[in-house]
Amino acid sequence: SSVGVFVTCCVWAILLLALFGDSLASAPEFDPYKVLGVSRHDSQAEIKKAYKRLAREWHPDKNKSPGAQDMFIKITKSYEVLSNEERRANYDRFGQMDENQNFARGPQGFRHYQDSFYFDESFFHFPRTSHDFTDSKHHLHYNQYISEVLPDSFKRPYLIKITSEWCFTCIHIEPVWKDTVLELEPFGVGIGVVDIGYERQLANHLGAHRTPSILGLINGKVTFFHYAVVREHLRQFVESLLPQKLVEKVTDNSYLGFLNSWHEENKPRVLMFDVASNIPFLYKLTAFAYKDYVRFGYVDMGLTETSKVVQRFSINTYAPTMLLFKENTDKPADVMQARGMKKQIIDEFVSNNRFLLVPRLVNQKLFDELCPVKQFHRRRKYCVLLVTGEGEQFVSVNEAFFDFASSNTKEVLRFAYVYQRQQQPLCDTLLKKEDITPPQVILLERRSATGRVLYRTVTGGWNGSDDDKHRLHEQLEILQRDPSHLTHDAMLPELNNEFASMFLIHWINTAYDYLAQFYFDLLYSNWREMMPVLSLIFSALFILFGTVIIQAFSDAGEDKPAKQKATDPPKTAESSPGQESTSSRPPKKNFVEVTELTDITYMSNLVRLKPGHINVVLILTDASKQVLLRKFAKEVYSFSGSQTLHYSFLNVDKHSQWMDSLMESAPDARPSDCLDEEEDSTSNKSDYTGHVLALNGHKKYFCIFRPVFTGEEVECSRWSDEDAAMAGPSKASRSRSSSRQKATTLEIHHKLDRLGLWMERLMEGTLPRHYVPAWPGLDTITPQK
């Protein structure tokens, strides 16, 4: 019969291919090594370098010669082969560039034919689909999916195709897929292609186990496409992935409520006017991308119910129009009108207006974007923050602050406000030092992503009067000229998310998503994709019933060992040094290493210090040693990661002459009022307790930090000339002695309160430097009295 003849012919064809495979195998179109100009022994780095050079030279956009496009395709295909070690080895062995000729993974029954037979699909003229050149830029790898695509799915949806080699069904959907990509990609829809043969890990992660498969990805959630592969169905599928209430339809009766709700949602409003019953797909994608910043509305100008709002804003009905409103709902802050709106134009329009003029800080993400952390010395961003309340008595105060911000729109200044009741930890941190109540205006600059800020409270509070505005304007002018105007520093807590849903609501929404996905998989009998959900359900039931059973049959005597453990003496940090920890984990370095500056360590820590290294030395006494060292370590801890800074302390009770010798070598380091007093009285010795020196041993200069006045210093700089003249020498001496006796540990602790700011200026290199001809010696120890 004809069937038998056909089978016989197929058998003879296979035998002929096995016997004469070398003669029938088609040779490769070109040699990838010659195209890239590399040898077979070159590394991947050299191949990549050659590819980049040739791709720039032969790119069709830059090279207009007739054969540039064909050459560029050859360069790209050559790099695809040689950049993949498996395909490169396949080419070196068999001279074949196609990916499907991977003999190492061939069927078991054909292993003994590998040296004499291989199947070239071009012999039968089968079209290639899964590795078409137009799809090469959409190929996804596992690491790329995890690091780029998955986070980006919270801003735009993705349409992903799962394919493989020898997928004949993929041939039929390829034209539809290409048309769909050309239509959706300009709108901003992400496109991906996964080869299940080479990216098995990614396919398993997505839950795709057969080809061809098409799936959608949005907000990190995967949804499979189960309908006929038609371009219109694929577009509707992507549109169905978007949340339902992204864009609100606005009419004459609802536009005022839509615009006036900016205060509750803390977002600008965008109104789009167009003559179409359905909301444009591009507009929905834009609303999804900026859903965290802007609220979107749509006005269908073809309806009679929208004539008033169209007339209210004088909209031209012949072209789509977008109006953006901020705090002022009577007049739009920005307008855009164009017949053919492109994605890039709409993105730029919305991105430039995604914040209100004076937004409310409702979460940490908004605070990070409004007040970014200082990165460079000339790129400072100051945040002008109003701490206020929600009552009627604060309405006029808030409006006055908005008026001031409207007239002071500078790039370096960001205005915002916060409700004290909603952000209580933040307000307590900023207001507790001065013990003041809102409304208050605070100027701050963020210094680290962990929450450290420099700030200053505008004196006199904020009542919205002309005097308050004039005072705030003067403070801002001073701040822009002198960044050190911010005198306080603090560690701010993370802001509360005022719009976060309750835990119960969040749990119900998550459970609903799981149940909907379970029903959808059950409907299409997709059992392999249902296994994670079923496993989760049965695991939860097992844990629940297991816990109930264990508690029901637990013995009450199990509490006895716990009581015996409670009677054991607890181990404290003051245990004997011989008791060592048996843990094998390495200790975490969460401390600052501070060494004592003695006659033994003096040469290595100062005189012979490496060039570029600085030793930060704390001056202390025996009485203040413990208190000052703890405070010193706390202030310099954030700078301990620097490899060029070293930390030491000098005990002036042991080396009392060293500081005097250093000050004599650099007279400019001593305050002028102290020099005048030294001429009058040589009996009073300077008290250097709490001073900090930054010593550069190689260049022979130092910077000095003078402590904050606590009421105990006997230095002349802390005792005015008028007080000394009125009280007399004896009374002044008694007053100094009395203040020294009343000094408490807390007062000594506050000597180093502003050391952190001084360390920042040291790192910036803006501190004055005092040079010495040579470092004083530290050979002798002062005898104890």
Side-chain angles (χ1 to χ4, degrees):
S1 62
S2 59
V3 177
V5 174
F6 176 76
V7 172
T8 305
C9 292
C10 290
V11 172
W12 277 106
I14 294 175
L15 292 176
L16 288 174
L17 286 173
L19 294 174
F20 306 101
D22 292 335
S23 60
L24 293 177
S26 60
E29 300 176 2
F30 51 84
D31 186 357
Y33 289 104
K34 291 182 179 180
V35 172
L36 297 181
V38 296
S39 67
R40 295 180 180 269
H41 305 289
D42 286 344
S43 62
Q44 288 291 340
E46 295 171 336
I47 293 174
K48 186 176 183 180
K49 183 178 180 181
Y51 165 72
K52 288 184 176 180
R53 176 176 55 81
L54 293 174
R56 286 194 298 265
E57 179 182 353
W58 291 96
H59 197 282
D61 294 340
K62 297 182 179 180
N63 193 328
K64 300 302 182 181
S65 59
Q69 185 172 2
D70 295 337
M71 186 62 184
F72 183 73
I73 293 175
K74 289 182 180 181
I75 293 170
T76 305
K77 288 187 176 181
S78 300
Y79 181 69
E80 288 180 358
V81 173
L82 300 184
S83 62
N84 189 314
E85 293 293 344
E86 193 172 0
R87 295 180 63 185
R88 183 180 180 183
N90 185 42
Y91 177 80
D92 293 340
R93 183 177 180 183
F94 303 103
Q96 181 66 11
M97 295 178 60
D98 294 337
E99 286 183 82
N100 59 341
Q101 302 301 322
N102 188 357
F103 301 100
R105 297 186 297 183
Q108 299 288 336
F110 290 92
R111 285 187 177 178
H112 58 282
Y113 294 114
Q114 286 181 358
D115 296 332
S116 61
F117 168 74
Y118 66 92
F119 184 78
D120 185 5
E121 64 176 288
S122 62
F123 181 76
F124 293 100
H125 303 285
F126 285 137
R128 295 291 305 273
T129 60
S130 60
H131 292 282
D132 190 89
F133 176 70
T134 57
D135 275 350
S136 60
K137 65 178 182 179
H138 299 136
H139 285 169
L140 295 181
H141 307 285
Y142 181 79
N143 293 333
Q144 177 190 4
Y145 172 83
I146 296 297
S147 60
E148 299 177 11
V149 176
L150 195 60
D152 194 41
S153 68
F154 290 87
K155 297 181 180 178
R156 60 172 178 163
Y158 272 80
L159 188 65
I160 301 175
K161 179 181 69 172
I162 311 296
T163 184
S164 65
E165 295 289 353
W166 297 104
C167 173
F168 293 101
T169 312
C170 301
I171 300 174
H172 300 288
I173 70 170
E174 187 65 22
V176 179
W177 173 260
K178 287 184 178 180
D179 293 341
T180 305
V181 170
L182 293 176
E183 179 186 2
L184 298 182
E185 197 170 21
F187 289 160
V189 178
I191 304 297
V193 176
V194 178
D195 191 325
I196 199 171
Y198 293 91
E199 291 295 334
R200 176 67 64 178
Q201 182 182 10
L202 177 56
N204 291 336
H205 181 81
L206 295 173
H209 306 287
R210 60 176 179 266
T211 58
S213 295
I214 296 178
L215 55 91
L217 175 68
I218 190 170
N219 289 330
K221 180 184 175 183
V222 176
T223 304
F224 280 82
F225 177 77
H226 293 285
Y227 304 98
V229 182
V230 182
R231 186 174 64 175
E232 187 63 28
H233 290 174
L234 289 173
R235 175 178 176 141
Q236 293 175 0
F237 170 68
V238 175
E239 193 168 356
S240 67
L241 297 175
L242 299 171
Q244 296 298 321
K245 298 182 179 180
L246 275 176
V247 183
E248 179 181 346
K249 288 193 173 183
V250 179
T251 61
D252 296 338
N253 298 328
S254 60
Y255 82 95
L256 288 178
F258 174 79
L259 296 178
N260 291 327
S261 59
W262 66 267
H263 188 270
E264 289 76 14
E265 296 187 7
N266 196 42
K267 296 178 182 179
R269 333 298 281 178
V270 172
L271 271 180
M272 182 176 185
F273 296 81
D274 198 358
V275 184
S277 58
N278 295 325
I279 302 173
F281 182 50
L282 177 59
Y283 194 56
K284 289 184 178 181
L285 292 174
T286 305
F288 179 74
Y290 295 95
K291 61 182 180 299
D292 295 333
Y293 304 97
V294 182
R295 182 67 171 154
F296 291 81
Y298 179 74
V299 179
D300 181 6
M301 294 187 293
L303 301 176
T304 57
E305 294 85 357
T306 60
S307 58
K308 291 183 180 179
V309 63
V310 173
Q311 185 179 4
R312 167 69 178 79
F313 297 107
S314 303
I315 302 300
N316 183 2
T317 58
Y318 295 100
T321 305
M322 295 182 70
L323 304 183
L324 189 139
F325 296 85
K326 294 188 178 181
E327 285 89 347
N328 187 2
T329 58
D330 296 328
K331 182 180 179 182
D334 203 351
V335 180
M336 183 180 68
Q337 188 176 46
R339 288 188 179 275
M341 288 193 178
K342 303 296 183 181
K343 178 181 182 300
Q344 293 79 5
I345 300 176
I346 298 179
D347 285 345
E348 183 179 359
F349 175 77
V350 178
S351 178
N352 294 336
N353 298 280
R354 66 183 186 276
F355 298 120
L356 295 171
L357 185 61
V358 185
R360 185 173 84 252
L361 299 183
V362 294
N363 51 47
Q364 187 65 34
K365 178 183 177 181
L366 181 60
F367 186 37
D368 294 339
E369 295 194 36
L370 282 175
C371 304
V373 178
K374 175 202 168 188
Q375 296 180 351
F376 305 101
H377 183 67
R378 294 186 178 181
R379 294 181 58 186
R380 297 179 180 271
K381 297 286 185 181
Y382 300 108
C383 191
V384 185
L385 182 63
L386 172 65
V387 180
T388 181
E390 305 177 55
E392 294 292 336
Q393 66 273 21
F394 295 101
V395 174
S396 60
V397 173
N398 300 341
E399 292 179 352
F401 186 74
F402 169 76
D403 295 338
F404 180 85
S406 303
S407 59
N408 290 272
T409 55
K410 295 183 180 180
E411 183 63 24
V412 73
L413 300 176
R414 299 291 178 86
F415 292 86
Y417 70 99
V418 62
Y419 286 149
Q420 185 185 25
R421 186 177 64 86
Q422 300 288 349
Q423 304 292 342
Q424 192 69 42
L426 172 70
C427 298
D428 291 345
T429 304
L430 294 175
L431 302 179
K432 67 180 180 180
K433 285 192 176 181
E434 301 183 16
D435 194 19
I436 52 180
T437 57
Q440 297 290 335
V441 176
I442 298 173
L443 313 178
L444 61 87
E445 178 187 20
R446 298 186 65 195
R447 286 304 184 95
S448 69
T450 57
R452 186 170 180 271
V453 298
L454 298 180
Y455 71 96
R456 183 187 185 95
T457 305
V458 179
T459 57
W462 177 263
N463 296 318
S465 62
D466 294 338
D467 293 339
D468 292 342
K469 295 180 180 179
H470 180 70
R471 192 184 308 112
L472 177 56
H473 187 270
E474 289 181 346
Q475 295 287 332
L476 293 176
E477 292 293 332
I478 296 174
L479 178 61
Q480 295 177 59
R481 293 194 303 267
D482 182 16
S484 62
H485 186 62
L486 303 178
T487 56
H488 301 295
D489 65 331
M491 291 293 295
L492 298 184
E494 185 173 352
L495 271 67
N496 301 326
N497 189 357
E498 299 180 14
F499 296 147
S501 58
M502 296 177 59
F503 173 78
L504 180 60
I505 298 177
H506 181 72
W507 185 87
I508 292 175
N509 292 334
T510 304
Y512 173 79
D513 291 339
Y514 274 112
L515 291 176
Q517 186 68 31
F518 179 81
Y519 172 77
F520 197 73
D521 292 337
L522 183 64
L523 182 64
Y524 291 97
S525 301
N526 197 355
W527 295 104
R528 297 188 67 176
E529 296 168 14
M530 290 173 55
M531 289 306 298
V533 180
L534 294 174
S535 176
L536 178 64
I537 295 175
F538 283 107
S539 298
L541 293 175
F542 177 78
I543 294 173
L544 179 63
F545 285 105
T547 304
V548 173
I549 293 174
I550 292 174
Q551 290 181 351
F553 291 95
S554 61
D555 190 4
E558 293 179 356
D559 296 336
K560 294 181 180 180
K563 294 181 179 180
Q564 293 176 1
K565 288 184 178 181
T567 58
D568 296 339
K571 296 181 180 180
T572 63
E574 300 177 356
S575 302
S576 61
Q579 297 176 351
E580 298 181 355
S581 175
T582 59
S583 175
S584 60
R585 299 172 65 183
K588 184 179 180 182
K589 187 175 180 181
N590 54 359
F591 59 87
V592 180
E593 185 176 354
V594 185
T595 59
E596 184 176 4
L597 202 62
T598 64
D599 52 345
I600 300 175
T601 61
Y602 184 71
M603 295 297 292
S604 60
N605 287 2
L606 177 59
V607 179
R608 296 178 181 175
L609 203 60
K610 295 180 180 179
H613 288 235
I614 293 178
N615 195 353
V616 183
V617 181
L618 169 67
I619 310 300
L620 47 76
T621 60
D622 289 333
S624 62
K625 180 177 180 180
Q626 298 297 329
V627 177
L628 288 181
L629 276 179
R630 283 196 297 267
K631 180 66 174 178
F632 178 72
K634 180 180 178 181
E635 291 291 328
V636 303
Y637 177 74
S638 59
F639 304 91
S640 60
S642 175
Q643 300 295 328
T644 59
L645 292 182
H646 309 274
Y647 303 98
S648 306
F649 69 91
L650 179 71
N651 193 334
V652 293
D653 289 341
K654 298 181 181 179
H655 309 280
S656 60
Q657 303 298 326
W658 188 83
M659 277 296 292
D660 293 333
S661 301
L662 181 65
M663 291 300 174
E664 291 175 1
S665 302
D668 57 330
R670 190 184 298 272
S672 58
D673 51 353
C674 291
L675 294 174
D676 297 338
E677 184 173 318
E678 283 183 355
E679 296 176 359
D680 299 337
S681 175
T682 59
S683 60
N684 294 329
K685 287 187 175 182
S686 298
D687 182 12
Y688 296 108
T689 305
H691 284 60
V692 179
L693 304 174
L695 308 175
N696 191 316
H698 180 69
K699 292 188 177 181
K700 296 181 181 178
Y701 72 82
F702 67 92
C703 306
I704 186 169
F705 166 80
R706 293 182 174 84
V708 179
F709 176 59
T710 62
E712 60 163 327
E713 287 84 356
V714 296
E715 297 168 313
C716 52
S717 60
R718 311 304 184 191
W719 182 261
S720 65
D721 294 338
E722 295 181 2
D723 294 338
M726 294 176 60
S730 60
K731 189 173 181 179
S733 177
R734 288 195 302 271
S735 177
R736 293 190 184 99
S737 176
S738 148
S739 64
R740 186 184 298 108
Q741 292 173 0
K742 293 180 180 179
T744 63
T745 303
L746 182 62
E747 291 172 338
I748 297 175
H749 171 81
H750 284 298
K751 282 177 175 285
L752 304 179
D753 275 352
R754 302 190 64 181
L755 180 59
L757 300 176
W758 182 83
M759 288 291 296
E760 284 194 7
R761 294 188 60 192
L762 174 65
M763 299 297 292
E764 294 175 355
T766 58
L767 291 174
R769 300 177 179 181
H770 310 288
Y771 289 86
V772 295
W775 295 110
L778 196 70
D779 299 332
T780 60
I781 297 179
T782 305
Q784 298 288 337
K785 295 182 180 181

